[in-house]
Amino acid sequence: MIYSGKCVTLSCDSEGIAELRFDRQDGSVNKLDRLTLAELHEALENLQLDPDVRGLLLTSGKSAFIVGADITEFANNFKLDNFAFKAWLRQTHKLFGMLENLPYPTVAAINGMALGGGFELSLCCDYRILADDGRVGLPEVSLGIYPGWGGSVRLPRLVGAQTGLDWLLSGRPQHAAIAESVGAVDRLAAADQLLLQARALLLEQLENGNDYLSRRNRKWAPIDLDPALVDQISAQIDRRPGKHYPASRVILELVQQHCTLAFDEAIECEVDTFPVLAKGTEARSLIGLFLSDQLLKRKAKQTAAHARRIDKAAVVGAGIMGGGIAYQSAATGTPILMKDINGDALELGLTEADAILSKQLARGKLNTAKKQAIFDQIEATLDYDRFQSVDIVVEAVVENRKIKAAVLSELEQQVGEGTVLTSNTSSISINRLAESLLAPENFCGMHFFNPVHAMPLVEVIRGDKSSDQAVATTVAYAASMGKTAIVVNDCPGFLVNRILFPYYNAFNRLLMDGVDFQRIDRVMEAFGWPMGPAYLADVIGLDTLVHADAVMVEGFPQRMLHDGGTLMQSMVRGERLGQKNGRGFYRYGVDENGKRTKEAEDATYDLVELMATAMPEVSDAEIVERMMIPMCLEAVRCLDDGIVETAAEVDMGVILGLGFPRFRGGPLRYIDHLGLNAFVAQVEKHSIQGPLYQVTTGLRQRCVDNQCFFDQ
C-alpha cells in the first residue's frame, strides 16, 4: 500500500499497475469534498515519487464511481470574494492537472454513475471504460452553474463542440451506449468484468508506447465552433424555459470564447467566468433547492423508519384521481385494490391507469409485458371483501366533508386492526374528518396533486390525534411511490392551497381593478410561472377553486374574505368551469392536428366589464408585486404558525405543488433575495389593498434581528 486515507487508497502490484481507489469509509457514496480532494493530492504526490509505477487505474469501492462535488461545501465557497474563489478553483485545477500529466497512461474504471466533478475527474484520464449499466454526465446547469473543474473545456474537445454543448446545456446523465458512441468513454464492460477489462485496457495501452500522449494532445487542442451552430443553439435557449436561467446562455458564450484558445488559457477562461454565475441569485436559489430536497429526503427517511410494513394498499373512490393513485402504487411495486360503488367510475379509473401506461409504452419506457404486469397489480372491486388484507387505504371520494366522513366511518369497519386510513383531500380539515372515526390515531391526510403520476408532491397532514406510526406509514408509502412527502399540520388549505389562495385573491382584486386577465398571465409567465393565474385556474377547474376558496374564507375570514363576489364565482354560475368543459377564462378546442387550442373567451371580458371598477393604469411591476405579496406573506405565516417545521419545506411545497419558479427559489427564498427590508417596504406600499397586504409581526421581528429565512 502506497497511501491509505479515509476516502482514497493507493496501491501498486508487481507489474507496476497502480490503483487509485475511491472508497469513502464514513458514507455510502464517493464525493469530491475537501477531505477527498486533500487525500487525492497526497496520493498523487506519493505516486509521483514511486519509480516502479507504469500505469494507473482509477476505481471505486462504492456502487457509483463518484457522484460529484459536495454541494454544501460548494455553496459555502461561493461566499468567498472573487480572488479567494478563483484561487480555490485554480487549486483544484492544479490537482486535476497532476493526474492528467502523469508520465504513463491512466484509465478510469467507471461503475454506476460519474456525475459532475466525478465525471470531470475521469476526463483527466487518458482512457475511460464504463460499466454497460452506468451513466455519466455534467448536471451543473440544473444548479444554475456550469462544470467548474475543466468539464466545459475537456468535454467539447473530446466529443466535439455540438455534442459537448448538448451535454452541458441539458445536464442529463447519459446512458453508457450513448457515451461510447460519441467518444466520451472508450469502451463498455459488464459491471462484474469492469475492473478486469480496465486492467486489460491499461496493459494494452502500455504495449502501444506513446499513444496516450497523442490522446492528451488531441484533448488539449483547440476546436472549431460553427457560427451557425451557435445561432441555432442561441435560438433554442430563447424558446425554452432556460431563458430564465442565465447558465445556459453563459455556457454557450463560454465555449464559444475558449474553444479556439490554448488549453491553459481555456481553463483560465472557465475560472474567470465561473463567479459570475455562482454568485447570482439563480444559482443560490437552485443550489438551495438541491439542499432542501436533500433535507426532505433525510426527514422522510427518518420518519419512515417508524412505519408499518406496506404489502398491499387500497384506494376508495375511482375516477381520474383514484385511477392515478392506483397506477402510481402499482407502477412502483405496491399492489392495490381500487373500490367504488359505481361501475362506470371504476371503469374510468382503470381507463386512466391504462392511458398512462399506454403513453409510456408509446414512448418506449416499458414493453407490453411490463405494462400488463403493472396493470395486473390493480384490482377493481365494488365491495370490501378483500380490505382486511390491506395495510393502508387512500380515501379519494368527492370533496365533500359529510360524504368523506361517512365513507371513512364505513371503511374503518372493513379493514384490519392498525390499518392506516388516509384522506386525499385538498382542503377539508383532517381533525373534523377524524371525528367520525373510532380510532382517529390511525388516520391522517394524504393529499395528492393532479395529475398524480406527474406531480411529485404529497402533503401528509397530521391531525391532532394522528399517531406517529400513521404519519410514518403514510410518508413511507408516498416515498415508495416516488413522491416527495412533506408532513403538514392540519389547517384550512394545509400548506400549498393555503399559500395559493391569497395569490388568487390578489388576482381577483386586479381583475376588479380592470386589469386584463391575458396581460396578468403574460406578466406572471414572464416572471417565471409555467402558466399565468387565469390559465392555471382553467387547468385546475374554476368550480374546484371556488369550492376551496370558500373553505379558505371560512378558515381565515379576517384576511381572505372578498370585497363582494368574485369573477370566478360568476363564471361558475354561468357553467364556465375551465378546461374540463372547454370554457373558462379561455375557450378550448382541438385543431385539425388534434392539438389543443386556447383563445380568450369574450364572455369573460363581458363579465369583467360588468363587475370591474376602472382604475388608474397598473404597471407590470405592480402586477408582480400585488400578485406575489399575499402569497409570500402567507408562506411566512405558515412557517411562523408551525404548519411545517422548516423554511425549506415551505418553499419546496410551493415549488413542487404549484410550479413556483425554481430559479427564484420559493416564496421565502424570494423574500431573502429581495431583502427583508425591501420586501417590507414593498408590502407597505400596497397596504391599501387590505388585510392580505399587511406586514406580519414575525416578519418585522426578522427585520429587527436581521434574520433571513435561509443561510445566505
Side-chain angles (χ1 to χ4, degrees):
M1 185 70 68
I2 302 173
Y3 174 83
S4 180
K6 295 180 179 178
C7 307
V8 175
T9 60
L10 178 64
S11 60
C12 186
D13 66 17
S14 59
E15 294 186 88
I17 303 301
E19 180 179 358
L20 184 65
R21 187 174 181 82
F22 294 87
D23 194 0
R24 189 180 188 90
Q25 295 177 11
D26 62 350
S28 59
V29 296
N30 293 321
K31 54 187 177 181
L32 295 179
D33 59 358
R34 189 179 295 111
L35 176 61
T36 303
L37 291 172
E39 291 189 0
L40 175 60
H41 185 266
E42 291 181 30
L44 290 174
E45 283 189 326
N46 279 274
L47 193 61
Q48 290 175 328
L49 298 174
D50 194 322
D52 297 325
V53 175
R54 300 168 54 230
L56 175 68
L57 289 174
L58 264 64
T59 67
S60 166
K62 303 299 184 188
S63 59
F65 183 69
I66 300 173
V67 297
D70 186 304
I71 299 300
T72 304
E73 290 185 359
F74 233 64
N76 288 333
N77 285 326
F78 288 1
K79 299 172 187 176
L80 299 170
D81 62 53
N82 280 4
F83 181 82
F85 191 10
K86 291 180 182 180
W88 168 68
L89 289 171
R90 291 188 184 104
Q91 183 180 22
T92 306
H93 279 296
K94 183 178 179 181
L95 173 61
F96 281 23
M98 290 174 65
L99 171 63
E100 194 164 38
N101 288 285
L102 288 170
Y104 37 73
T106 57
V107 174
I110 304 171
N111 62 312
M113 291 193 295
L115 300 178
F119 185 44
E120 288 182 283
L121 182 67
S122 77
L123 291 173
C124 297
C125 292
D126 302 314
Y127 307 91
R128 282 155 299 285
I129 182 166
L130 176 62
D132 55 16
D133 59 353
R135 289 187 291 171
V136 295
L138 299 170
E140 285 84 352
V141 68
S142 65
L143 298 176
I145 54 177
Y146 60 76
W149 289 340
S152 83
V153 177
R154 291 186 178 92
L155 182 64
R157 295 179 185 221
L158 182 69
V159 301
Q162 183 166 355
T163 299
L165 280 167
D166 179 55
W167 283 35
L168 289 166
L169 292 170
S170 74
R172 290 190 298 271
Q174 304 290 334
H175 291 284
I178 294 174
E180 183 191 30
S181 69
V182 300
V185 301
D186 299 281
R187 294 182 186 176
L188 303 182
D192 61 354
Q193 295 294 308
L194 179 63
L195 296 182
L196 287 174
Q197 293 293 325
R199 181 182 174 82
L201 174 59
L202 184 56
L203 291 171
E204 178 185 316
Q205 300 313 315
L206 283 170
E207 294 176 2
N208 291 338
N210 294 329
D211 179 61
Y212 71 95
L213 293 177
S214 63
R215 291 177 64 89
R216 290 182 191 178
N217 289 330
R218 288 200 303 272
K219 186 172 57 175
W220 294 338
I223 56 172
D224 293 325
L225 182 54
D226 186 349
L229 175 63
V230 174
D231 292 341
Q232 176 188 342
I233 294 174
S234 180
Q236 290 172 351
I237 291 172
D238 287 339
R239 288 196 300 268
R240 62 191 184 190
K243 65 185 178 182
H244 294 297
Y245 298 79
S248 298
R249 178 69 56 190
V250 171
I251 288 170
L252 176 60
E253 293 173 352
L254 174 66
V255 175
Q256 187 180 13
Q257 181 182 357
H258 69 46
C259 67
T260 59
L261 298 178
F263 182 77
D264 289 344
E265 292 175 321
I267 290 292
E268 191 59 27
C269 187
E270 185 188 86
V271 169
D272 281 340
T273 306
F274 198 84
V276 175
L277 282 178
K279 293 179 178 295
T281 58
E282 293 84 1
R284 283 163 40 211
S285 293
L286 293 167
I287 291 170
L289 290 183
F290 177 86
L291 296 175
S292 294
D293 182 62
Q294 297 302 301
L295 171 66
L296 263 59
K297 284 183 168 65
R298 288 196 300 273
K299 291 190 70 171
K301 186 175 181 179
Q302 292 165 1
T303 300
H306 307 287
R308 171 190 174 114
R309 180 185 170 95
I310 303 170
D311 293 316
K312 192 168 188 176
V315 58
V316 175
I320 299 295
M321 180 61 77
I325 294 169
Y327 157 78
Q328 193 66 31
S329 184
T332 51
T334 304
I336 188 166
L337 292 169
M338 181 169 61
K339 181 194 178 300
D340 205 288
I341 59 173
N342 185 300
D344 291 341
L346 274 180
E347 188 61 35
L348 180 59
L350 291 171
T351 300
E352 173 69 7
D354 183 69
I356 299 169
L357 287 165
S358 295
K359 286 180 181 177
Q360 293 186 342
L361 180 66
R363 293 172 184 164
K365 293 187 175 181
L366 47 78
N367 57 33
T368 303
K370 180 65 174 175
K371 174 191 172 183
Q372 190 60 47
I374 292 172
F375 195 75
D376 288 346
Q377 295 299 300
I378 303 171
E379 183 179 351
T381 180
L382 293 169
D383 55 50
Y384 287 113
D385 285 353
R386 290 168 294 286
F387 270 63
Q388 283 286 327
S389 65
V390 302
D391 305 295
I392 188 168
V393 184
V394 182
E395 168 272 303
V397 301
V398 63
E399 189 78 350
N400 177 292
R401 185 173 68 86
K402 290 183 179 179
I403 294 174
K404 282 183 177 290
V407 169
L408 286 164
S409 179
E410 178 183 59
L411 180 59
E412 188 178 37
Q413 306 303 313
Q414 305 296 328
V415 297
E417 184 179 355
T419 297
V420 174
L421 304 183
T422 71
S423 177
N424 175 48
T425 173
S426 61
S427 59
I428 299 172
S429 168
I430 294 302
N431 287 329
R432 295 186 70 178
L433 289 175
E435 293 171 1
S436 65
L437 297 174
L438 298 175
E441 65 273 13
N442 294 331
F443 174 63
C444 64
M446 191 177 192
H447 177 208
F448 291 87
F449 292 77
N450 197 29
V452 174
H453 69 281
M455 297 297 285
L457 181 68
V458 169
E459 288 180 304
V460 176
I461 303 98
R462 182 191 292 274
D464 290 344
K465 296 184 178 180
S466 302
S467 70
D468 289 344
Q469 187 183 56
V471 171
T473 302
T474 308
V475 167
Y477 183 45
S480 74
M481 297 168 84
K483 301 301 182 183
T484 297
I486 295 179
V487 178
V488 178
N489 287 319
D490 191 27
C491 72
F494 314 134
L495 175 67
V496 174
N497 280 334
R498 177 171 164 178
I499 293 173
L500 172 65
F501 278 88
Y503 178 80
Y504 269 106
N505 195 303
F507 176 54
N508 187 67
R509 288 175 180 274
L510 284 167
L511 293 174
M512 295 302 96
D513 285 349
V515 183
D516 184 352
F517 68 86
Q518 290 191 85
R519 180 182 171 213
I520 298 171
D521 272 4
R522 287 194 299 271
V523 169
M524 298 314 294
E525 286 166 10
F527 178 79
W529 285 93
M531 57 186 74
Y535 187 22
L536 178 61
D538 282 354
V539 171
I540 294 173
L542 301 181
D543 53 339
T544 301
L545 283 173
V546 167
H547 169 78
D549 180 64
V551 174
M552 301 308 297
V553 169
E554 180 185 2
F556 305 103
Q558 295 84 359
R559 63 178 180 276
M560 295 201 190
L561 191 65
H562 301 281
D563 298 332
T566 69
L567 179 65
M568 282 191 274
Q569 288 171 339
S570 297
M571 293 171 72
V572 171
R573 285 195 292 270
E575 296 187 356
R576 295 214 306 281
L577 309 180
Q579 286 189 353
K580 64 178 65 176
N581 71 344
R583 297 173 63 237
F585 281 94
Y586 299 92
R587 178 180 291 276
Y588 299 90
V590 178
D591 65 17
E592 62 274 10
N593 298 317
K595 187 177 180 180
R596 183 189 291 274
T597 61
K598 181 189 81 167
E599 58 183 351
E601 176 72 284
D602 290 339
T604 305
Y605 282 108
D606 294 338
L607 264 179
V608 170
E609 190 173 336
L610 285 173
M611 299 179 68
T613 303
M615 295 289 288
E617 181 65 22
V618 177
S619 70
D620 287 356
E622 287 178 290
I623 290 174
V624 170
E625 290 173 4
R626 286 180 58 177
M627 289 294 295
M628 295 307 301
I629 285 170
M631 170 174 274
C632 291
L633 286 174
E634 201 63 36
V636 173
R637 291 188 182 96
C638 284
L639 182 63
D640 289 348
D641 291 351
I643 302 305
V644 291
E645 292 181 345
T646 65
E649 288 163 298
V650 173
D651 278 1
M652 289 296 287
V654 180
I655 286 169
L656 298 178
L658 297 178
F660 190 100
R662 295 180 67 87
F663 67 96
R664 297 191 185 276
L668 298 183
R669 201 177 291 274
Y670 176 62
I671 295 174
D672 277 354
H673 290 331
L674 287 175
L676 269 65
N677 288 313
F679 178 73
V680 165
Q682 206 178 88
V683 176
E684 290 174 338
K685 181 176 72 173
H686 294 284
S687 61
I688 194 173
Q689 296 298 329
L692 284 171
Y693 294 80
Q694 307 302 313
V695 181
T696 68
T697 302
L699 186 56
R700 286 200 186 278
Q701 189 59 51
R702 283 181 179 271
C703 290
V704 171
D705 297 338
N706 194 28
Q707 181 186 14
C708 294
F709 293 99
F710 294 91
D711 179 13
Q712 298 297 298

